[in-house]
Amino acid sequence: MRTARSRDRYRRPLKNSMIALFTAGCATLAVTSCSGASDTPKASPTPSAAQPTKSADPTETAKKEAVATYQAYWKEVEKLYADRSGKSAKLKQYAASAALKNAEQDAKRAHGRGLLLTGHVTVKDPTVTKVVTHGKLDYAVISSCLDISKWKTVKADTKKPVTLPSDRLTKYVIQSTVERWPEGWRVTRDEPQDRRC
């Protein structure tokens, strides 16, 4: 069982709350492999001569799982903001700690003002900048470009668009922490970086 102390180890207050996302403003992760051309040997090795399959690299596995969780998290954030009841979102499967608390509170605040956010958020170029797969807590730090240009703020009763400042950021860098909890990977912190991407 994770203690409050270990969870707090990586928590810090957010620079911006989620409410800033709709006032200031998940792409599919394509995993490809590349192989270089090499000279073909004169005799092909027989199946028995092939090298045994190596076990998956835990660091690469952690990176892929963290990015997949992060993208799923944004899909659930979309649902949370688009549904006044909040029942359609399963955010707790992908978020915890400060990220979960702030998303739920800010969505509730927006809904209380009679606003919904519809459309979608695109996570561009999610890059794991740090990963730790040993010790008491496995975690990854992900930097990405968050594109909210197709995430529209509308009035809940009429579905009419709300006019927002024309100079707001709709594509910006965001840094997020994803931790491996007993229940699985969870986004625990989102920090918009206030710069365009």
Side-chain angles (χ1 to χ4, degrees):
M1 180 182 226
R2 187 179 302 278
T3 65
R5 186 173 181 180
S6 67
R7 284 196 303 266
D8 289 341
R9 181 177 173 194
Y10 294 100
R11 283 193 210 162
R12 285 185 296 183
L14 292 177
K15 290 181 183 175
N16 297 315
S17 67
M18 293 292 290
I19 200 76
L21 292 179
F22 75 87
T23 57
C26 276
T28 304
L29 174 66
V31 180
T32 59
S33 61
C34 300
S35 60
S38 62
D39 295 332
T40 307
K42 292 181 181 177
S44 324
T46 61
S48 60
Q51 295 182 356
T53 305
K54 294 181 180 178
S55 60
D57 178 357
T59 299
E60 289 305 312
T61 299
K63 287 180 181 180
K64 289 177 184 177
E65 291 174 353
V67 169
T69 296
Y70 184 63
Q71 291 178 319
Y73 158 78
W74 276 106
K75 287 295 181 188
E76 295 306 316
V77 168
E78 287 175 8
K79 292 177 189 176
L80 179 68
Y81 276 81
D83 178 12
R84 262 181 129 161
S85 72
K87 293 178 180 177
S88 62
K90 295 179 174 53
L91 197 59
K92 288 183 182 178
Q93 292 180 13
Y94 304 101
S97 207
L100 176 63
K101 180 181 176 184
N102 287 312
E104 289 180 336
Q105 286 180 345
D106 291 337
K108 185 176 180 181
R109 194 176 301 124
H111 296 158
R113 293 169 57 192
L115 302 174
L116 299 176
L117 276 82
T118 61
H120 65 274
V121 176
T122 301
V123 179
K124 294 182 176 180
D125 304 319
T127 304
V128 177
T129 59
K130 181 176 183 180
V131 64
V132 173
T133 58
H134 56 277
K136 292 183 178 179
L137 180 68
D138 292 355
Y139 71 96
V141 177
I142 298 172
S143 179
S144 62
C145 178
L146 200 68
D147 181 351
I148 59 171
S149 60
K150 292 186 168 57
W151 207 23
K152 305 299 181 186
T153 304
V154 299
K155 293 185 178 179
D157 52 353
T158 65
K159 302 298 185 288
K160 289 185 178 179
V162 173
T163 302
L164 298 174
S166 59
D167 61 346
R168 74 191 189 284
L169 284 177
T170 58
K171 295 178 185 177
Y172 52 90
V173 177
I174 188 166
Q175 185 170 294
S176 305
T177 301
V178 188
E179 299 176 359
R180 192 198 308 261
W181 287 41
E183 304 86 0
W185 287 92
R186 298 291 187 270
V187 177
T188 57
R189 188 168 68 236
D190 264 333
E191 295 181 311
Q193 301 298 297
D194 295 323
R195 67 177 188 268
R196 294 182 188 276
C197 55

